[in-house]
Amino acid sequence: MQTLNSIGVISKVSTNKIVIEIPDTNKINYNFHGDLYICEGINSFVTIYKSLHQKFIYQIINLAELEKPFDNVEEESKFYNKAYFEAIPIGEIKGDNFKFGLSKFPMIGNDVYLTDFLDMDLIFKIEDNIPALTLGLLASHEYYSPKFSLDKLLSNHMCVLGNTGSGKSTTVRKLLNEIILTAEEFSLDINSANFIIFDVHDEYDNLPDKASTITDVLKDISIPLDTLSPDDWINLVQPASAVQLPILMNGLRLANLIENNEASFCDWVKAYCALELYNNVHTEVVGKRTKIVSLLQNITDPTIKSILTRYSSQYGNFQGYDEQVFIDAIKSFIRNKSTYHYEDCSELILSLLESSNSKVSQLKNLELGIELTFLFEESKGNSQVRSYCSTLMTRISNLIASYSKSMFDNDQQKINNFNQVCKFDKGFTLFKVASLENKDLLFFTSYVLKIIYNNQKEQRSRNNKQVNSLYHFIFDEAHKYITESDNDFYNSIKIFEQIAKEGRKFGIFMFLASQRPGELSKTVLSQCNNFILHRIRSNVDLEQMRRSIPYISDSQLQRISYLITGSALLVGEAFSVPMEIIIKGEDYGYPSSTLLPSNVWGAFSKETD
């Protein structure tokens, strides 16, 4: 026991902190057994001895000086330099074991000491034969680099949070490379790991080639559309209201029927819709004629073509017996192409829709399927259906324009590339997704996540509730797509929430990197057990962290707003105590820099000279 090196005594005790009275601030640094102990102030660890083999460990969070008396006081007065330190409980040491948290507390008058190096080793103790990694140096003890168990770190969901420019990306790169180094040190096969990275800003492509596969989503691969489930289609198309969802689903079923039937299927369905419009829709006759002609004009039946010439464009009707000839010609055409009478077609179409599924191989067929759905609705008198679904059609048109030759290309080589990538042969599979919009990021990330989830569920059912492989998903800029929304009628992120709650038993873990925790799904954030917290200043984000992170105190939360770039607060089950770390990740790339107007304008002026 360091009986001669006490820095002060306890003057106040509560369950959440103690107050230490410091008689002389000039004597709190000392040499003990040849080691120099220096109090760095806030974040320094202190020890209170309960007995020779039991100690309480606290961490300093606040410094205050005693008010100087107003009357004349001699310069040598013992009260002149008196100060007070506040410290929060960290844990206790019994024998050679450290345990986080306190069940008992020190007493007023107990001596307080700076925590010695041997006790520091016990606080951050990792067994020699346990794979462990390090991220940097303790902010309060820059000579000390704590290690963390690889197993504890990677057997829980994790978050790296921090404002832009705070060092978040550097931390992720450092962590990934430390995992590789740890695997090499302990002779582990890194390619048996399955890290799947969605790189939004092209920041993580410095991983070694022998351990990584890098794929540009819009250039290298193509997703087979017929593998999409209804939930995938909802995430991809994003129907804006409950009205649009049944239109989308029926459009998918009709598109499936189009792909699995002869070309004449569309012709007789259009003819059926035209006759339904003519018989049942009572609206402005010239406008009704225009719709009917547009449906029938590409049908090659000579009788229909002939009778259309007698369909008055001025009055929107037929003369004499022409109307009956028109009706009979369409009925005959439907009978010849479908083998069903016109009167039975409604029941036939419903039966076909019930038996079909949402498997579609081309986006243009979805567009045609939805067009047919509109026709069915209009033939029933729903004249507003197109206006209600205008945003839906705009979205589908954009998908066709943006991805028909990239992410949904029918090129077999690109489809084979996608299937090969999804074997995850190397330790790190990196998807470059910088070109995807937020809605498309939601679709792509959830789609890949669901592939793994379904495979792991199948493997678990075959192997007596055991899985043979683990997957770690790293979601960069997660707030862009794993978002909390009160208006999300369809719960687009339900696969993320499901993995957050159940992923552990299927060997699937999520690693979220975000600069806006306030926008993240509360369910997903609350299920994370390890947090690396960089500087965050938004009150909204800080309040969300207060509600979602049980490991953090108010003083630590306040401290986060003032962390320097490259430092982080580590809290969670993988860390023996909450600790502030200076991340040493410069070897793996530097934080993204901000373009300075003076530099940009200067370069521009030189070019124009």
Side-chain angles (χ1 to χ4, degrees):
M1 199 177 293
Q2 305 175 27
T3 54
L4 300 178
N5 296 314
S6 170
I7 66 170
V9 295
I10 298 175
S11 62
K12 184 177 180 180
V13 178
S14 61
T15 56
N16 63 334
K17 69 179 178 180
I18 61 173
V19 177
I20 308 165
E21 183 179 310
I22 310 297
D24 190 345
T25 56
N26 294 318
K27 296 182 179 180
I28 58 177
N29 301 323
Y30 55 85
N31 187 295
F32 181 67
H33 288 176
D35 293 320
L36 182 62
Y37 289 81
I38 299 176
C39 179
E40 300 285 355
I42 290 176
N43 286 334
S44 293
F45 292 98
V46 294
T47 301
I48 300 104
Y49 289 82
K50 183 179 181 182
S51 67
L52 186 62
H53 300 292
Q54 185 174 5
K55 311 162 191 175
F56 300 119
I57 305 297
Y58 277 73
Q59 190 173 28
I60 297 172
I61 62 166
N62 196 17
L63 310 175
E65 188 177 19
L66 183 68
E67 288 186 0
K68 298 180 177 68
F70 289 100
D71 56 350
N72 293 328
V73 178
E74 295 180 5
E75 189 175 345
E76 298 298 323
S77 169
K78 65 178 181 179
F79 299 105
Y80 188 78
N81 290 323
K82 185 181 292 186
Y84 288 97
F85 292 174
E86 288 184 345
I88 57 174
I90 297 298
E92 59 183 313
I93 294 175
K94 291 183 179 180
D96 292 332
N97 296 310
F98 171 79
K99 180 182 178 182
F100 180 72
L102 298 183
S103 57
K104 297 180 180 180
F105 300 90
M107 293 293 293
I108 293 174
N110 284 164
D111 288 322
V112 179
Y113 306 88
L114 295 179
T115 301
D116 63 33
F117 294 124
L118 293 177
D119 288 345
M120 292 286 287
D121 288 338
L122 291 177
I123 294 172
F124 301 105
K125 183 179 180 181
I126 293 289
E127 299 295 336
D128 292 339
N129 60 341
I130 298 296
L133 53 85
T134 182
L135 293 176
L137 303 172
L138 282 178
S140 58
H141 302 76
E142 293 190 8
Y143 55 84
Y144 203 92
S145 182
K147 289 189 174 184
F148 317 111
S149 166
L150 184 74
D151 291 337
K152 288 185 178 180
L153 197 64
L154 298 181
S155 57
N156 291 283
H157 303 307
M158 187 183 342
C159 269
V160 176
L161 305 175
N163 290 158
T164 181
S166 63
K168 180 175 73 274
S169 300
T170 300
T171 296
V172 178
R173 288 193 295 266
K174 168 73 172 177
L175 179 59
L176 297 179
N177 282 276
E178 282 292 319
I179 290 170
I180 295 173
L181 294 175
T182 302
E184 292 175 350
E185 179 183 352
F186 286 85
S187 300
L188 305 175
D189 181 12
I190 190 61
N191 287 324
S192 294
N194 295 293
F195 287 87
I196 302 168
I197 307 166
F198 300 95
D199 188 358
V200 174
H201 295 306
D202 297 333
E203 294 180 318
Y204 305 112
D205 54 3
N206 64 334
L207 296 166
D209 293 340
K210 64 180 180 180
S212 62
T213 298
I214 300 177
T215 301
D216 189 317
V217 170
L218 296 187
K219 294 179 181 179
D220 302 331
I221 61 173
S222 179
I223 297 173
L225 277 174
D226 57 5
T227 63
L228 270 59
S229 68
D231 284 343
D232 294 324
W233 280 109
I234 290 174
N235 278 349
L236 180 63
V237 178
Q238 292 283 305
S241 67
V243 175
Q244 295 181 1
L245 181 59
I247 296 297
L248 173 62
M249 292 296 104
N250 282 334
L252 286 167
R253 295 186 185 100
L254 278 169
N256 178 265
L257 290 174
I258 292 169
E259 292 187 350
N260 291 290
N261 287 274
E262 296 178 356
S264 60
F265 174 81
C266 280
D267 286 345
W268 74 258
V269 168
K270 287 181 179 180
Y272 169 78
C273 289
L275 192 50
E276 285 285 283
L277 279 171
Y278 189 82
N279 289 334
N280 301 324
V281 177
H282 304 287
T283 183
E284 190 268 321
V285 291
V286 174
K288 182 167 77 170
R289 174 196 177 277
T290 301
K291 286 186 178 181
I292 291 173
V293 170
S294 68
L295 286 171
L296 301 177
Q297 62 186 357
N298 293 324
I299 292 178
T300 57
D301 184 85
T303 305
I304 291 178
K305 282 189 172 297
S306 173
I307 201 65
L308 281 178
T309 62
R310 284 175 267 174
Y311 194 174
S312 174
S313 60
Q314 182 178 4
Y315 302 106
N317 57 21
F318 291 98
Q319 298 293 323
Y321 293 103
D322 289 344
E323 179 180 23
Q324 190 60 47
V325 173
F326 169 74
I327 293 173
D328 291 342
I330 294 180
K331 286 184 176 182
S332 176
F333 178 80
I334 293 172
R335 171 67 176 169
N336 290 335
K337 297 297 182 181
S338 70
T339 71
Y340 281 81
H341 293 289
Y342 160 72
E343 291 77 12
D344 299 325
C345 283
S346 177
E347 185 177 343
L348 169 63
I349 291 172
L350 288 176
S351 175
L352 289 172
L353 285 175
E354 288 176 1
S355 64
S356 66
N357 55 46
S358 61
K359 303 299 181 183
V360 177
S361 63
Q362 295 185 50
L363 284 171
K364 66 179 183 180
N365 288 334
L366 171 60
E367 190 174 40
L368 180 56
I370 290 182
E371 176 62 28
L372 289 177
T373 305
F374 288 157
L375 295 176
F376 283 131
E377 292 297 316
E378 289 169 341
S379 68
K380 298 174 186 175
N382 186 358
S383 59
Q384 300 298 315
V385 64
R386 290 182 188 270
S387 61
Y388 290 151
C389 294
S390 59
T391 56
L392 178 71
M393 294 310 296
T394 299
R395 173 68 173 157
I396 292 174
S397 297
N398 288 339
L399 289 173
I400 293 173
S402 301
Y403 301 129
S404 289
K405 297 300 181 182
S406 56
M407 188 162 59
F408 299 120
D409 196 338
N410 284 323
D411 182 274
Q412 191 58 48
Q413 182 58 52
K414 293 174 70 175
I415 293 175
N416 292 340
N417 290 344
F418 176 73
N419 293 331
Q420 182 62 39
V421 169
C422 287
K423 292 180 180 179
F424 305 110
D425 293 330
K426 293 189 177 180
F428 298 88
T429 300
L430 188 146
F431 290 108
K432 298 172 77 69
V433 292
S435 300
L436 296 184
E437 297 180 2
N438 292 352
K439 289 181 179 180
D440 305 325
L441 273 171
L442 171 61
F443 158 73
F444 185 73
T445 53
S446 61
Y447 175 78
V448 177
L449 182 58
K450 187 152 39 175
I451 288 177
I452 302 302
Y453 178 58
N454 291 336
N455 289 342
Q456 291 291 91
K457 280 205 305 183
E458 182 180 349
Q459 182 186 115
R460 191 171 185 264
S461 65
R462 289 198 313 262
N463 297 338
N464 193 26
K465 296 187 177 181
Q466 295 293 322
V467 292
N468 299 326
S469 53
L470 302 177
Y471 289 86
H472 294 85
F473 284 82
I474 299 177
F475 298 108
D476 187 26
E477 301 291 356
H479 59 277
K480 290 187 173 184
Y481 43 100
I482 310 177
T483 58
E484 184 74 24
S485 175
D486 295 331
N487 299 321
D488 189 357
F489 181 81
Y490 314 108
N491 191 15
S492 301
I493 62 168
K494 62 184 176 183
I495 183 63
F496 297 97
E497 294 181 345
Q498 190 170 8
I499 296 300
K501 292 181 283 189
E502 304 176 5
R504 182 187 58 80
K505 63 185 177 184
F506 297 108
I508 304 175
F509 302 96
M510 296 194 295
F511 183 157
L512 279 62
S514 173
Q515 57 182 274
R516 295 303 306 270
E519 296 178 9
L520 284 171
S521 161
K522 294 181 178 65
T523 300
V524 174
L525 189 60
S526 68
Q527 295 300 312
C528 292
N529 297 96
N530 294 316
F531 295 86
I532 301 177
L533 308 174
H534 287 271
R535 180 178 61 250
I536 292 180
R537 288 178 173 160
S538 165
N539 289 333
V540 173
D541 294 329
L542 291 171
E543 183 58 32
Q544 179 62 39
M545 292 163 64
R546 185 195 304 276
R547 293 196 299 262
S548 302
I549 304 176
Y551 310 96
I552 194 169
S553 66
D554 286 345
S555 60
Q556 291 165 336
L557 200 63
Q558 293 171 2
R559 169 66 182 149
I560 288 173
S561 296
Y562 303 98
L563 291 174
I564 64 172
T565 298
S567 64
L569 178 67
L570 278 56
V571 295
E573 295 185 5
F575 313 113
S576 56
V577 297
M579 65 191 80
E580 188 176 324
I581 292 288
I582 299 174
I583 305 293
K584 294 297 182 181
E586 297 84 357
D587 293 341
Y588 309 113
Y590 289 87
S592 54
S593 58
T594 302
L595 292 175
L596 301 178
S598 58
N599 291 339
V600 175
W601 299 348
F604 180 76
S605 65
K606 290 176 183 178
E607 290 177 3
T608 56
D609 286 345

